Amino acid sequence: MDTVQLVSPDGTATADHRYRRDLPPETLTWLYENLVVARALDSEFVNLQRQGELALYASCRGQEAAQVGAAACLRKTDWLFPQYRELGAFLVRGIAPAQMAAVWRGAWHGGLDFTQKCCAPISIPIATHALHAVGAAMAAQRLGEDSVTVAFLGDGATSEGDTHEAMNFAAVEKAPCVFYVQNNQWAISVPVSRQHAAPSIAGRAAGYGMPGVRVDGNDVLACYAVMAEAAERARAGEGPTLIEAVTYRMGPHTTSDDPTRYQPAHELEQWAARDPIARYRIHLESNALLTERLEQRVATRSARLCTELREAVVDAPDPDVGELFDTVFAEITPVLSAQREQLLAEIAKET
């Protein structure tokens, strides 16, 4: 299966004319801004975890183009169903860094701003949210809405039964859902070559009766174009699409992982040469769009959001654990009320 690529690793335009790339200059520069800001925030998240302010963090370094490109072309009413590494998509949706941090800090609500921006909460269990995405898409069908749902998956998630069930159900029902697999080559310490015997993940779409597209996940314009086409197809009632964005995880699986134990150093070097931000920067330069004013705007926004993130996280108070029991049902049940009082009493003894 051919891999869709609109900008080559050296920053030059490819000869692929199947997809549109004539986006307005303001869109092209906005994409660059989000790529750079996402990386800056990603580094700040890692720093905060290392300093003990966050319980855990899953870096998206190297996957910014796959995430920003996919999310940027969607409508604000299209629902995103993320795993846990989609910082670039969250940024495009306008979710505040403080809300993202609430998830990794262990606050019970996991970021209240997510659902307000048509984004499901982060899903730590692998692939369970694929079924939720299909269910939401089917609900949109029955309500007569023209929204699309996108299930963000990793290559490891394609080895889970939930993914197969979700894809099969979506195809049978022609649900307006896009399955967006970020193939970053590693499911924790298992390489993608040990996860399936098929030539590609996208090629498996034929078995479900849906189109499959393989795209260069380090090419933000290609990711934008492929997702735009899949969303348009879903909106027109033509059913789901499986997209495989081929990229690479430049950091550890999470901050509790040591990738040097299994990731070959030469492989990391090869993919570092395909860095999505460096590639797109060259592309903008060649089109006279990378200006000093743009660079200043990007730097200012990066610094501001990183400062806001740090101020929201450092020494932040723990949430009131009692609220957890109050929001399970519209009215708290006697059993939950008793459990809440028991927990609060035990906490009071410790303090």
Side-chain angles (χ1 to χ4, degrees):
M1 179 176 288
D2 292 337
T3 301
V4 177
Q5 186 182 81
L6 301 183
V7 179
S8 63
D10 65 5
T12 59
T14 66
D16 191 327
H17 298 294
R18 292 172 294 172
Y19 296 89
R20 283 190 55 191
R21 68 180 88 203
D22 56 337
L23 300 176
E26 57 269 24
T27 301
L28 294 171
T29 54
W30 178 70
L31 290 172
Y32 174 74
E33 177 179 337
N34 281 282
L35 292 176
V36 177
V37 173
R39 181 161 295 184
L41 278 172
D42 188 75
S43 296
E44 191 67 15
F45 270 108
V46 172
N47 292 339
L48 286 166
Q49 195 283 327
R50 299 304 190 202
Q51 293 163 11
E53 297 291 345
L54 302 175
L56 188 73
Y57 179 67
S59 172
C60 73
R61 187 177 184 86
Q63 298 179 223
E64 297 91 349
Q67 298 175 7
V68 170
C73 65
L74 298 171
R75 298 178 184 175
K76 292 182 179 179
T77 52
D78 292 333
W79 272 84
L80 310 183
F81 285 78
Q83 283 200 147
Y84 41 75
R85 203 183 301 279
E86 281 71 44
L87 184 148
F90 301 150
L91 183 66
V92 170
R93 269 300 161 93
I95 297 173
Q99 292 293 325
M100 304 180 208
V103 179
W104 300 113
R105 191 171 174 83
W108 66 265
H109 55 70
L112 295 173
D113 201 30
F114 280 66
T115 54
Q116 295 172 4
K117 299 292 174 59
C118 291
C119 182
I122 284 176
S123 175
I124 296 298
I126 303 299
T128 57
H129 63 298
L131 290 163
H132 305 158
V134 175
M138 292 172 62
Q141 279 180 320
R142 285 153 175 72
L143 292 171
E145 299 175 353
D146 66 348
S147 62
V148 173
T149 66
V150 179
F152 285 87
L153 303 162
D155 48 284
T158 63
S159 298
E160 295 287 339
D162 284 351
T163 298
H164 299 292
E165 293 154 7
M167 290 184 183
N168 185 62
F169 211 67
V172 169
E173 296 293 330
K174 287 191 176 297
C177 182
V178 180
F179 298 96
Y180 191 73
V181 179
Q182 294 178 80
N183 177 2
N184 66 13
Q185 312 304 314
W186 292 93
I188 306 184
S189 59
V190 180
V192 70
S193 61
R194 295 290 303 276
Q195 296 176 57
H196 64 84
S200 67
I201 292 174
R204 297 158 76 178
Y208 300 106
M210 69 175 77
V213 182
R214 202 166 197 250
V215 63
D216 183 342
N218 284 13
D219 179 354
V220 67
L221 294 186
C223 292
Y224 184 106
V226 167
M227 178 60 82
E229 180 185 65
E232 182 179 357
R233 180 176 178 276
R235 231 181 288 280
E238 297 177 19
T241 301
L242 170 59
I243 299 174
E244 176 189 2
V246 184
T247 182
Y248 195 79
R249 194 190 75 212
M250 299 294 289
H253 177 71
T254 68
T255 46
S256 64
D257 174 40
D258 178 10
T260 62
R261 298 175 62 186
Y262 56 84
Q263 253 179 351
H266 72 274
E267 183 179 270
L268 187 61
E269 292 174 3
Q270 290 173 354
W271 280 94
R274 307 174 197 174
D275 186 282
I277 298 178
R279 173 193 305 198
Y280 192 54
R281 179 186 173 87
I282 295 172
H283 182 71
L284 291 183
E285 282 181 327
S286 65
N287 288 277
L289 291 174
L290 191 71
T291 63
E292 184 177 340
R293 182 177 180 181
L294 172 61
E295 293 280 46
Q296 183 58 48
R297 186 182 82 198
V298 172
T300 299
R301 185 182 174 207
S302 295
R304 176 175 59 81
L305 289 181
C306 285
T307 298
E308 290 177 5
L309 171 61
R310 180 163 286 277
E311 290 177 346
V313 169
V314 175
D315 297 327
D318 292 328
D320 180 2
V321 294
E323 292 180 2
L324 175 62
F325 298 88
D326 298 332
T327 54
V328 178
F329 300 105
E331 295 183 11
I332 190 169
T333 65
V335 172
L336 283 178
S337 180
Q339 290 178 353
R340 179 183 61 185
E341 296 309 314
Q342 180 181 357
L343 176 61
L344 293 178
E346 291 177 358
I347 292 175
K349 291 178 182 178
E350 295 178 358
T351 57

